[in-house]
Short mmCIF file of all heavy atoms in Angstrom, two decimals:
data_model
loop_
_atom_site.label_atom_id
_atom_site.label_comp_id
_atom_site.label_asym_id
_atom_site.label_seq_id
_atom_site.Cartn_x
_atom_site.Cartn_y
_atom_site.Cartn_z
N MET B 1 99.11 92.67 94.23
CA MET B 1 99.74 92.89 95.63
C MET B 1 101.20 92.49 95.38
O MET B 1 101.46 91.56 94.70
CB MET B 1 99.05 91.94 96.68
CG MET B 1 97.67 92.17 96.93
SD MET B 1 97.05 91.33 98.35
CE MET B 1 96.94 89.74 97.54
N GLU B 2 102.05 93.17 96.27
CA GLU B 2 103.40 92.73 96.24
C GLU B 2 103.96 92.95 97.73
O GLU B 2 103.68 93.92 98.31
CB GLU B 2 104.32 93.72 95.37
CG GLU B 2 105.66 93.32 95.27
CD GLU B 2 106.61 94.13 94.42
OE1 GLU B 2 106.06 94.92 93.51
OE2 GLU B 2 107.86 94.20 94.43
N ILE B 3 104.63 91.77 98.17
CA ILE B 3 105.24 91.92 99.37
C ILE B 3 106.43 92.83 99.44
O ILE B 3 107.41 92.53 98.74
CB ILE B 3 105.60 90.43 99.95
CG1 ILE B 3 104.31 89.68 100.09
CG2 ILE B 3 106.26 90.58 101.40
CD1 ILE B 3 104.44 88.29 100.56
N LEU B 4 106.36 93.90 100.24
CA LEU B 4 107.46 94.84 100.23
C LEU B 4 108.45 94.44 101.52
O LEU B 4 109.66 94.95 101.38
CB LEU B 4 106.92 96.26 100.51
CG LEU B 4 106.00 96.86 99.46
CD1 LEU B 4 105.50 98.22 99.83
CD2 LEU B 4 106.77 96.81 97.97
N GLN B 5 107.87 94.00 102.48
CA GLN B 5 108.72 93.63 103.76
C GLN B 5 108.19 92.34 104.30
O GLN B 5 106.99 92.07 104.50
CB GLN B 5 108.56 94.79 104.76
CG GLN B 5 109.42 94.47 105.99
CD GLN B 5 109.08 95.72 106.98
OE1 GLN B 5 108.42 96.70 106.66
NE2 GLN B 5 109.52 95.43 108.26
N SER B 6 109.09 91.42 104.54
CA SER B 6 108.71 90.16 105.26
C SER B 6 109.80 89.85 106.28
O SER B 6 110.89 89.55 106.07
CB SER B 6 108.83 89.06 104.10
OG SER B 6 108.56 87.81 104.71
N ALA B 7 109.26 90.10 107.60
CA ALA B 7 110.20 89.76 108.65
C ALA B 7 109.73 88.82 109.54
O ALA B 7 108.75 88.88 110.32
CB ALA B 7 110.25 91.11 109.60
N ALA B 8 110.17 87.46 109.22
CA ALA B 8 109.59 86.24 109.84
C ALA B 8 109.97 86.19 111.29
O ALA B 8 111.17 86.60 111.74
CB ALA B 8 110.30 85.02 109.08
N PRO B 9 109.09 85.78 112.17
CA PRO B 9 107.51 85.44 111.88
C PRO B 9 106.67 86.59 112.43
O PRO B 9 105.61 86.33 112.92
CB PRO B 9 107.42 84.10 112.71
CG PRO B 9 108.21 84.39 113.94
CD PRO B 9 109.40 85.26 113.47
N SER B 10 107.14 87.80 112.27
CA SER B 10 106.33 88.93 112.91
C SER B 10 105.60 89.92 112.12
O SER B 10 104.69 90.51 112.57
CB SER B 10 107.25 89.61 114.02
OG SER B 10 108.39 90.26 113.29
N LYS B 11 106.15 90.17 110.89
CA LYS B 11 105.50 91.20 110.13
C LYS B 11 105.63 91.04 108.67
O LYS B 11 106.68 90.70 108.25
CB LYS B 11 106.17 92.60 110.48
CG LYS B 11 105.51 93.84 109.89
CD LYS B 11 106.13 95.01 110.43
CE LYS B 11 105.39 96.27 109.96
NZ LYS B 11 105.93 97.62 110.58
N ILE B 12 104.59 91.39 107.97
CA ILE B 12 104.50 91.29 106.53
C ILE B 12 103.90 92.56 106.03
O ILE B 12 102.75 92.99 106.46
CB ILE B 12 103.78 90.15 105.95
CG1 ILE B 12 104.51 88.98 106.38
CG2 ILE B 12 103.69 90.21 104.49
CD1 ILE B 12 103.64 87.52 106.19
N VAL B 13 104.50 93.46 105.12
CA VAL B 13 103.97 94.65 104.54
C VAL B 13 103.75 94.35 102.98
O VAL B 13 104.69 93.89 102.44
CB VAL B 13 104.86 95.82 104.85
CG1 VAL B 13 104.22 97.10 104.16
CG2 VAL B 13 105.17 95.96 106.29
N ILE B 14 102.48 94.86 102.62
CA ILE B 14 102.18 94.42 101.25
C ILE B 14 101.73 95.75 100.54
O ILE B 14 100.78 96.49 101.11
CB ILE B 14 100.97 93.41 101.24
CG1 ILE B 14 101.40 92.08 101.81
CG2 ILE B 14 100.42 93.30 99.79
CD1 ILE B 14 100.37 91.12 102.05
N LYS B 15 102.25 96.03 99.36
CA LYS B 15 101.67 97.06 98.57
C LYS B 15 100.47 96.48 97.85
O LYS B 15 100.56 95.58 97.10
CB LYS B 15 102.70 97.52 97.48
CG LYS B 15 102.24 98.60 96.59
CD LYS B 15 103.25 98.90 95.38
CE LYS B 15 102.82 99.92 94.55
NZ LYS B 15 103.56 100.02 93.31
N LEU B 16 99.25 97.23 98.03
CA LEU B 16 98.00 96.55 97.46
C LEU B 16 97.39 97.74 96.57
O LEU B 16 97.04 98.90 96.98
CB LEU B 16 97.13 96.35 98.74
CG LEU B 16 95.60 95.96 98.42
CD1 LEU B 16 95.55 94.80 97.66
CD2 LEU B 16 94.93 95.83 99.75
N ASP B 17 97.33 97.34 95.26
CA ASP B 17 96.72 98.19 94.34
C ASP B 17 95.51 97.69 93.77
O ASP B 17 95.44 96.48 93.22
CB ASP B 17 97.75 98.40 93.09
CG ASP B 17 99.03 99.19 93.66
OD1 ASP B 17 98.93 100.18 94.33
OD2 ASP B 17 100.05 98.61 93.29
N PHE B 18 94.49 98.39 93.66
CA PHE B 18 93.18 98.05 92.96
C PHE B 18 92.96 98.74 91.79
O PHE B 18 93.31 99.96 91.65
CB PHE B 18 91.95 98.43 93.94
CG PHE B 18 92.07 97.67 95.28
CD1 PHE B 18 92.41 98.34 96.36
CD2 PHE B 18 91.55 96.34 95.26
CE1 PHE B 18 92.38 97.57 97.64
CE2 PHE B 18 91.63 95.62 96.63
CZ PHE B 18 92.00 96.29 97.75
N PHE B 19 92.61 98.00 90.73
CA PHE B 19 92.30 98.75 89.33
C PHE B 19 90.90 98.73 89.02
O PHE B 19 90.48 99.69 88.56
CB PHE B 19 93.13 97.98 88.34
CG PHE B 19 94.60 97.80 88.54
CD1 PHE B 19 95.15 96.55 88.61
CD2 PHE B 19 95.32 98.88 89.02
CE1 PHE B 19 96.39 96.37 89.01
CE2 PHE B 19 96.75 98.62 89.35
CZ PHE B 19 97.23 97.44 89.24
N LYS B 20 90.11 97.63 89.49
CA LYS B 20 88.79 97.65 89.07
C LYS B 20 87.97 97.14 90.42
O LYS B 20 88.58 96.37 91.06
CB LYS B 20 88.34 96.77 88.01
CG LYS B 20 88.84 97.19 86.62
CD LYS B 20 88.19 96.35 85.47
CE LYS B 20 88.54 94.91 85.54
NZ LYS B 20 88.11 94.16 84.53
N PRO B 21 86.96 97.63 90.77
CA PRO B 21 85.95 98.43 90.02
C PRO B 21 86.36 99.90 90.16
O PRO B 21 86.02 100.90 89.43
CB PRO B 21 84.48 98.20 90.60
CG PRO B 21 84.89 97.75 92.04
CD PRO B 21 86.27 97.08 91.97
N PHE B 22 87.15 100.16 91.22
CA PHE B 22 87.72 101.63 91.48
C PHE B 22 89.12 101.57 91.67
O PHE B 22 89.69 100.60 92.42
CB PHE B 22 87.01 102.23 92.68
CG PHE B 22 85.56 102.35 92.56
CD1 PHE B 22 84.69 101.50 93.32
CD2 PHE B 22 85.00 103.30 91.66
CE1 PHE B 22 83.28 101.69 93.21
CE2 PHE B 22 83.60 103.37 91.60
CZ PHE B 22 82.79 102.55 92.41
N GLU B 23 89.88 102.40 91.24
CA GLU B 23 91.31 102.46 91.46
C GLU B 23 91.59 102.89 92.90
O GLU B 23 90.95 103.82 93.45
CB GLU B 23 91.99 103.44 90.51
CG GLU B 23 93.49 103.38 90.67
CD GLU B 23 94.28 104.18 89.55
OE1 GLU B 23 93.52 104.58 88.51
OE2 GLU B 23 95.45 104.39 89.62
N GLY B 24 92.64 102.29 93.60
CA GLY B 24 92.88 102.59 94.88
C GLY B 24 94.38 101.93 95.12
O GLY B 24 94.67 100.81 94.58
N HIS B 25 95.08 102.70 95.94
CA HIS B 25 96.54 102.35 96.23
C HIS B 25 96.67 102.30 97.82
O HIS B 25 96.61 103.35 98.37
CB HIS B 25 97.49 103.14 95.64
CG HIS B 25 97.25 103.20 94.11
ND1 HIS B 25 97.68 102.16 93.18
CD2 HIS B 25 96.58 104.20 93.28
CE1 HIS B 25 97.28 102.52 92.00
NE2 HIS B 25 96.71 103.64 92.03
N ASN B 26 96.88 101.10 98.28
CA ASN B 26 96.89 101.03 99.78
C ASN B 26 97.97 100.12 100.20
O ASN B 26 98.76 99.68 99.45
CB ASN B 26 95.48 100.31 100.25
CG ASN B 26 94.34 101.15 99.96
OD1 ASN B 26 94.13 102.19 100.58
ND2 ASN B 26 93.56 100.70 99.00
#
């Protein structure tokens, strides 16, 4: 996970990548 946007104190956007058990990018 990596925080792409952090606007205190109202919003946090995170890049979420799964590798196992299945690959997914959310």
Side-chain angles (χ1 to χ4, degrees):
M1 297 188 289
E2 181 179 348
I3 298 178
L4 300 179
Q5 179 184 350
S6 176
S10 60
K11 186 174 185 177
I12 299 168
V13 178
I14 300 169
K15 178 183 177 193
L16 175 57
D17 296 312
F18 297 103
F19 307 125
K20 290 188 311 189
F22 300 105
E23 186 172 348
H25 305 282
N26 298 289

